[in-house]
Amino acid sequence: MTRLPVALRDTAARIDAATPDRRDRAVDALRAFAVLGVVLGHWLVTALVADGRTLHTAGPLQHMPWLAPVSWAFQTLAVFFLVGGHVATRSYASARERGTPYRRWLHARLARLFGPVVAVLTLWTAVTLALLLSDAEYATVRTLVKLALSPMWFLLVFAALTTVTPLVARLHPLWPLAVVLHVDVLRFGLGAPDALGWVNLAAGWLVPYTLGAAWTRGELEGRRSGWVLLGCGTAATVVLVAWAGYPAAMVGVPGAEVSNLNPPTLAAVTFGLAQCGLALLLRDRLRRAMRRPLAWAAVALVNLSAMTVFLWHQTALMATTAALLPAGPLPGLHTVPDGLGWVAARLPWLVVFLLALAVCGAAFRTWERGGRRRGRARPSTVVRAHRPMTERAPHV
């Protein structure tokens, strides 16, 4: 019993010692928070309900809309794009200083981004074919595949923004924010086609991405910018939800007429501005907290496996749900999420999902490092060898 804490402290100390002094540990902490927020959010608001031979998705916010404020804690994509924009623009500036051509820089980043996707697509292609050949309900197959591949939209958006990093490195965030505002006025105020909203898929996430670029330029170092973003973003979100008819939930709700995320709305963007402001205000505290070897080791290891966690967390949920169907319906897993009883029953299942995700991680971790088997990294070299996750990054 005494050896385990000593071993953990020793490993944490080696990871801490291997971390270059110039590394901004607050960036890694924010990234880890963003990834874990997305994962926990999906596990809490996504349920697979058995209806005869068919599985369909349901969510507690359908039946308990008053729980919508809980979604605010788990919709952390804006923080990820903030960090992503910061690291990408910093990386590109460094590449230019070294004389690295744009094409080579971009190829390296996109290769690290999409390499791990191959394993997900391969597995789910095989699973889909097996389910269809076994005469599974088409609605069930569609539900499972849609959930498994839902993280891919994030990769595509992130890849697109990465591609145009040199063009947006000096773009002021107010420009894409203005695009989002005009698109929503046209959609919700003037009756324009809903398809116009997909313009916001790029413009909406470009707002925090360009904030990250402003961070790189040193324009967000003072606490005043954090307070302005937090205050204005919060006030705007409250006004939009309370008086402009935007949904209170900042995640997708099955069956809802309007989603704040699919595509992003002005409310989602202003909410993201508030989150970015809070993230900027927490930087100094996070830097101090990350001086503790155990805390830093945990953050470093989350970042090291971020792509695996992001790409496989929905598969872990579905594998657990499907494997236990013969024993069901189990409360919190197969049952309709229509009350607080379901929420209480759901919480213990998070541990099971985590164990299933650990199995996925052990099986597919190699793909996160480029699809080639390499010697197992020693704890003392984990951080030194690890490139920032936004250079290989996943998000929801």
Side-chain angles (χ1 to χ4, degrees):
M1 294 294 292
T2 58
R3 292 180 60 186
L4 182 59
V6 172
L8 285 175
R9 286 196 296 269
D10 185 57
T11 299
R14 291 201 297 271
I15 294 175
D16 181 64
T19 305
D21 292 337
R22 65 183 179 276
R23 191 179 186 105
D24 188 347
R25 300 186 183 193
V27 173
D28 295 89
L30 289 172
R31 185 189 302 117
F33 165 76
V35 172
L36 294 179
V38 169
V39 171
L40 289 175
H42 281 166
W43 284 353
L44 286 171
V45 304
T46 304
L48 283 171
V49 178
D51 182 12
R53 295 182 57 204
T54 303
L55 284 175
H56 63 88
T57 57
L61 297 181
Q62 285 178 279
H63 304 279
M64 296 174 284
W66 48 272
L67 283 178
V70 177
S71 69
W72 304 346
F74 299 104
Q75 206 290 74
T76 52
L77 283 173
V79 175
F80 193 91
F81 278 99
L82 170 75
V83 174
H86 173 55
V87 175
T89 50
R90 189 175 59 185
S91 171
Y92 181 65
S94 177
R96 290 189 64 185
E97 290 176 0
R98 297 192 307 270
T100 303
Y102 164 75
R103 183 180 301 178
R104 186 186 305 171
W105 171 83
L106 181 63
H107 178 270
R109 292 180 67 83
L110 294 186
R112 287 189 291 268
L113 183 66
F114 286 108
V117 174
V118 175
V120 179
L121 294 178
T122 300
L123 175 68
W124 275 98
T125 298
V127 169
T128 301
L129 291 174
L131 289 173
L132 292 175
L133 292 174
S134 66
D135 199 29
E137 292 286 336
Y138 175 76
T140 296
V141 176
R142 183 177 180 274
T143 295
L144 296 178
V145 172
K146 184 177 179 180
L147 277 179
L149 301 185
S150 59
M152 302 302 173
W153 74 261
F154 170 86
L155 294 179
L156 294 175
V157 175
F158 195 88
L161 296 185
T162 299
T163 301
V164 298
T165 293
L167 298 177
V168 303
R170 305 196 69 82
L171 181 68
H172 197 285
L174 285 178
W175 288 107
L177 180 60
V179 172
V180 175
L181 171 63
H182 283 82
V183 166
D184 274 22
V185 168
L186 291 172
R187 284 180 65 201
F188 302 126
L190 301 177
D194 286 341
L196 181 65
W198 290 105
V199 172
N200 287 351
L201 189 61
W205 299 121
L206 190 57
V207 173
Y209 195 85
T210 51
L211 278 173
W215 179 0
T216 300
R217 297 194 299 268
E219 298 174 6
L220 302 179
E221 287 304 314
R223 293 182 64 82
R224 180 176 179 274
S225 56
W227 283 114
V228 169
L229 287 170
L230 177 59
C232 294
T234 300
T237 304
V238 169
V239 169
L240 291 171
V241 170
W243 289 287
Y246 283 84
M250 293 299 160
V251 298
V253 179
E257 291 185 8
V258 177
S259 168
N260 274 321
L261 280 187
N262 195 27
T265 64
L266 181 60
V269 174
T270 58
F271 174 76
L273 290 175
Q275 279 191 322
C276 290
L278 181 60
L280 294 172
L281 290 171
L282 291 176
R283 284 177 298 181
D284 289 338
R285 290 189 179 184
L286 288 173
R287 287 169 185 141
R288 290 194 295 269
M290 291 301 106
R291 292 173 188 164
R292 301 172 183 173
L294 282 174
W296 170 239
V299 165
L301 293 175
V302 168
N303 278 275
L304 189 64
S305 302
M307 276 291 286
T308 300
V309 170
F310 179 78
L311 288 173
W312 292 98
H313 72 279
Q314 293 284 53
T315 298
L317 181 152
M318 289 183 285
T320 302
T321 304
L324 296 176
L325 267 176
L330 298 175
L333 190 63
H334 305 117
T335 53
V336 177
D338 57 359
L340 289 178
W342 182 91
V343 176
R346 184 66 160 195
L347 295 178
W349 286 112
L350 300 183
V351 179
V352 183
F353 298 157
L354 183 61
L355 294 174
L357 181 57
V359 173
C360 292
F364 300 104
R365 170 75 178 278
T366 299
W367 291 91
E368 183 153 359
R369 291 176 287 167
R372 298 183 299 275
R373 290 195 176 275
R374 304 174 185 174
R376 185 174 179 178
R378 298 188 303 273
S380 60
T381 62
V382 160
V383 178
R384 191 179 300 277
H386 169 52
R387 294 176 182 269
M389 198 276 295
T390 45
E391 296 187 11
R392 314 177 300 168
H395 221 94
V396 191

